[in-house]
Amino acid sequence: MQFQYNRSSLYAVVIVLALCVPAWAEVGNPRVNQIGYLPNSVKIATYKTAETAAQPWQLKKDGKVIAHGKTSSATTDAASGDYLQQIDFSTVAATGFGFTVVVGADTSHAFAISPTAFRAPFYDALKYFYHNRSGIAIEAQLTGGGSASYAASRKWARGAGHVNRADNKGDFKVPCWTGTCEYTLDVPKGWYDAGDHGKYVVNAGISVWTLLNMFERGLYWGTTSRVEDGTLNIPESTNGIPDVLDEVRWELEFMLAMQVPAGYARAGMVHHKIHDVGWTGLPLAPDADAQQRALVPPSTAATLNLAATAAQAARIWKDLDPRFAAKCLEAAKKAWDAALANPADLYMGGYDNGGGAYDDVNVADEFFWAAVELYITTADNRYVPTIDAYSITRSDFNWANTELAGLVSLATVVTPAAASRRIAAQQKIIRIADTHLATQRTSGYSTPLALPEYEWGSNSGVANKLMLMGLAYNFSKNRDYANGVTRGMDYLFGRNTFSTSFVTGEGTVTAKRPHHRFWAGALNPEFPFAPPGALAGGPNSGLQDPVASARLTKCVARPATCWLDDINAYSVNEITINWNAPLAWLLDFQSDLGSRKAVLRVTGK
């Protein structure tokens, strides 16, 4: 039968079909925190749209409308270029799982509203460190998260890395880089720093300090019960010591072992790092690394990192393990004296084939930090001149800029010696937090970053600034700072231009392919993908790797878009200990907030 059609009739059919089929719907818009929200906290979703007028929204659970309202007027987010409207459902009291926010045909990813929303991610973030231990086999039965936050799996088990076995060159009797010293050191412990198998004292320092500060904050403003013995599912979980301290001790003992022994030139100084003498490829398990390892010469920065963290550890372990505390304090004092005698041993590169540089040409901040930690622990006035001579100028911190670590310890630890300085330190942190809140208010996605700060490890920049907001809340009880932390956490867990959680396994759509030699399932199915809880570096307009620079050429004007989930894009998608440490700190803070029946108070900050 020959088909004949009438043009006007065909148009009528098309019109009817168009009316019957909804417009294309975007799942994951509005952007939300894919982990969820605390019942007593601020709850914001962000809707990406070309519409200028406010739009009706609904909060649904199991198909039932729980709340509704209208979006805010649209604004352009400078960092991403996205045109955004905001949805505030902070007054919702309902709790549970499977909530979604709906605008027209668009639906967010599902999320929870629960006081325990951040508990499992907290344990996941901390388990990152056990998985990246050097010098010990990762046992299959211990690969699961703390408090059963995720199940153990043999795929994450592996042999002990770098223990001088067969063709796996190890970290026992490690020589110095050719021509730089005449001794060897045994340095088998510690955490692999990032995607490679290097171990770096200056990055170890800020990571250890952050986790120990999390513990000390818990002593005064929260709880340490979440990290007590038996909570993290690690080999030491039955020794009577809080598990987080056992985990940190694994890294501290590596740092202590990196100190130059007595009887040698520059005794008491600390080697800057240890790693392979040549770069290895991906994938590669630590116990299959055949490269020779070498100690990089000591540096003042590394020495002061040990002085600071060992002094911090000495006060924390004082009653838990007096012998270890005494060992830490002795090493801290030796390191301090050695740094005073060698103040200009600055690491400026030269031994970077096979490992990251971590060069640092300014160590005045490390002197201040170490002096603070030693003074708080010992009450010895010999450290006071260094403290008083230093002026705080920065508003953030990282491995290379550590002055705020000293300020935070002054503000946190209750001790008679530092009592007169404590309130002043707290007020300084509150003022710094105010600047971050002001920056956050200008961002459509609530990031406390200025445009130039979307750099390597920008997500750690977010996390460290949120830590300062959290401390400001503890010091002031002003809920605006706690809300600032929550808004910033939203960004990390999915309320961003990608509608993607930057933390592996935490959310509906998450980072899956971080740059890591063992968690390299993206390259070889015989290797595992990363377990839950690893924070990707995040948007970085520097694009310092070939993959990112080739695929993200148009992102630089919109720096918040300079990210992709590719295992080879190391400048945007690496993971590392000093990014996961503040992530754990923040998840601990959020868990504290969830455990309190605080009244939401928003005053415009």
Side-chain angles (χ1 to χ4, degrees):
M1 180 177 69
Q2 186 177 8
F3 176 72
Q4 292 182 323
Y5 71 90
N6 178 280
R7 185 185 297 268
S8 61
S9 298
L10 180 60
Y11 286 168
V13 171
V14 172
I15 291 170
V16 169
L17 289 174
L19 292 173
C20 293
V21 179
W24 179 79
E26 181 181 353
V27 177
N29 189 28
R31 286 87 164 93
V32 297
N33 184 323
Q34 295 175 31
I35 296 301
Y37 300 85
L38 299 173
N40 61 349
S41 189
V42 64
K43 306 174 190 68
I44 304 294
T46 299
Y47 184 50
K48 182 180 178 181
T49 178
E51 298 290 337
T52 57
Q55 303 293 303
W57 60 264
Q58 294 178 326
L59 176 69
K60 291 185 175 182
K61 183 177 185 295
D62 300 325
K64 180 182 178 181
V65 176
I66 304 297
H68 61 87
K70 281 200 169 184
T71 62
S72 67
S73 57
T75 57
T76 300
D77 176 55
S80 65
D82 292 347
Y83 202 51
L84 304 175
Q85 298 183 350
Q86 305 298 332
I87 298 165
D88 190 339
F89 54 105
S90 300
T91 57
V92 170
T95 60
F97 302 88
F99 288 93
T100 56
V101 179
V102 178
V103 179
D106 297 332
T107 304
S108 75
H109 295 303
F111 57 89
I113 300 177
S114 169
T116 60
F118 298 97
R119 182 178 176 86
F122 167 69
Y123 287 116
D124 297 350
L126 281 179
K127 197 54 183 274
Y128 176 95
F129 297 95
Y130 170 72
H131 276 291
N132 284 284
R133 284 191 188 186
S134 170
I136 188 174
I138 304 304
E139 302 290 347
Q141 69 272 20
L142 298 179
T143 56
S147 292
S149 60
Y150 62 86
S153 174
R154 183 165 296 280
K155 64 187 178 184
W156 291 312
R158 58 169 174 80
H162 301 101
V163 290
N164 298 66
R165 184 184 62 247
D167 61 350
N168 180 216
K169 300 298 190 295
D171 290 349
F172 291 98
K173 299 189 182 305
V174 183
C176 291
W177 214 275
T178 303
T180 62
C181 83
E182 299 175 352
Y183 52 83
T184 63
L185 293 180
D186 293 336
V187 290
K189 293 186 177 182
W191 305 315
Y192 296 121
D193 180 77
D196 64 292
H197 296 144
K199 297 186 289 189
Y200 310 88
V201 171
V202 292
N203 215 33
I206 198 65
S207 305
V208 163
W209 174 85
T210 300
L211 293 176
L212 292 183
N213 179 261
M214 180 187 79
F215 185 82
E216 289 191 304
R217 189 198 69 84
L219 294 174
Y220 301 116
W221 288 286
T223 179
T224 60
S225 63
R226 278 186 291 274
V227 293
E228 290 298 332
D229 192 35
T231 55
L232 298 189
N233 188 32
I234 58 177
E236 302 85 0
S237 282
T238 58
N239 67 357
I241 302 293
D243 275 1
V244 72
L245 299 185
D246 286 324
E247 190 57 69
V248 171
R249 181 167 175 167
W250 193 265
E251 183 79 336
L252 271 168
E253 291 189 350
F254 154 71
M255 296 176 69
L256 291 166
M258 292 285 278
Q259 196 162 29
V260 177
Y264 292 96
R266 295 190 290 175
M269 292 287 282
V270 177
H271 286 270
H272 196 73
K273 53 180 180 167
I274 171 184
H275 54 68
D276 295 342
V277 297
W279 284 106
T280 57
L282 287 73
L284 180 68
D287 57 314
D289 180 4
Q291 284 275 6
Q292 177 62 52
R293 311 273 278 176
L295 299 165
V296 168
S299 72
T300 308
T303 303
L304 291 167
N305 268 259
L306 178 64
T309 54
Q312 183 188 27
R315 62 177 179 262
I316 292 173
W317 268 271
K318 182 179 179 181
D319 297 324
L320 294 168
D321 188 336
R323 290 182 64 182
F324 181 64
K327 178 181 179 180
C328 287
L329 187 56
E330 180 184 10
K333 291 178 178 179
K334 286 181 178 178
W336 174 262
D337 290 339
L340 287 179
N342 301 274
D345 277 355
L346 308 179
Y347 188 73
M348 294 182 284
Y351 305 92
D352 303 330
N353 188 29
Y358 287 100
D359 47 314
D360 189 355
V361 298
N362 177 20
V363 295
D365 52 327
E366 280 86 1
F367 270 110
F368 170 77
W369 175 32
V372 166
E373 302 295 353
L374 281 159
Y375 178 59
I376 291 173
T377 298
T378 66
D380 190 335
N381 286 327
R382 68 178 292 211
Y383 306 109
V384 170
T386 301
I387 297 171
D388 288 344
Y390 193 82
S391 297
I392 300 290
T393 60
R394 294 189 64 87
S395 62
D396 62 351
F397 63 95
N398 51 46
W399 67 266
N401 300 285
T402 58
E403 62 188 54
L404 292 191
L407 184 70
V408 167
S409 288
L410 274 178
T412 301
V413 182
V414 176
T415 177
S420 62
R421 303 170 187 272
R422 191 162 175 255
I423 298 302
Q426 290 179 356
Q427 292 303 313
K428 177 69 172 177
I429 289 170
I430 289 170
R431 290 193 297 273
I432 292 171
D434 284 336
T435 68
H436 298 324
L437 283 176
T439 302
Q440 188 180 56
R441 288 196 297 270
T442 68
S443 167
Y445 290 116
S446 298
T447 53
L449 299 179
L451 294 185
E453 293 178 309
Y454 288 90
E455 55 190 359
W456 196 311
S458 66
N459 282 343
S460 74
V462 171
N464 288 337
K465 290 182 177 184
L466 296 183
M467 278 181 58
L468 297 170
M469 291 186 199
L471 289 164
Y473 169 71
N474 287 144
F475 302 153
S476 69
K477 301 307 178 188
N478 183 338
R479 188 71 186 196
D480 296 330
Y481 300 113
N483 289 340
V485 175
T486 296
R487 291 172 187 262
M489 293 290 278
D490 291 350
Y491 168 80
L492 295 177
F493 286 102
R495 188 162 71 85
N496 52 55
T497 188
F498 305 99
S499 195
T500 298
S501 169
F502 289 116
V503 186
T504 59
E506 309 292 357
T508 304
V509 177
T510 76
K512 294 180 179 179
R513 305 167 189 85
H515 181 79
H516 194 271
R517 276 163 173 71
F518 181 58
W519 296 334
L523 299 176
N524 186 329
E526 295 183 4
F527 285 76
F529 282 83
L535 176 63
N540 169 20
S541 61
L543 305 178
Q544 293 96 338
D545 70 81
V547 173
S549 63
R551 293 177 56 185
L552 298 174
T553 55
K554 298 180 180 180
C555 78
V556 176
R558 298 174 291 118
T561 68
C562 293
W563 178 78
L564 73 162
D565 187 20
D566 189 300
I567 191 171
N568 290 310
Y570 53 83
S571 68
V572 298
N573 212 37
E574 193 163 20
I575 48 181
T576 183
I577 56 176
N578 66 308
W579 301 345
N580 251 67
L583 175 66
W585 193 107
L586 292 167
L587 289 164
D588 184 55
F589 177 87
Q590 289 291 92
S591 295
D592 275 346
L593 288 182
S595 67
R596 297 170 181 159
K597 296 181 179 178
V599 177
L600 178 67
R601 183 173 69 85
V602 181
T603 63
K605 286 194 175 184

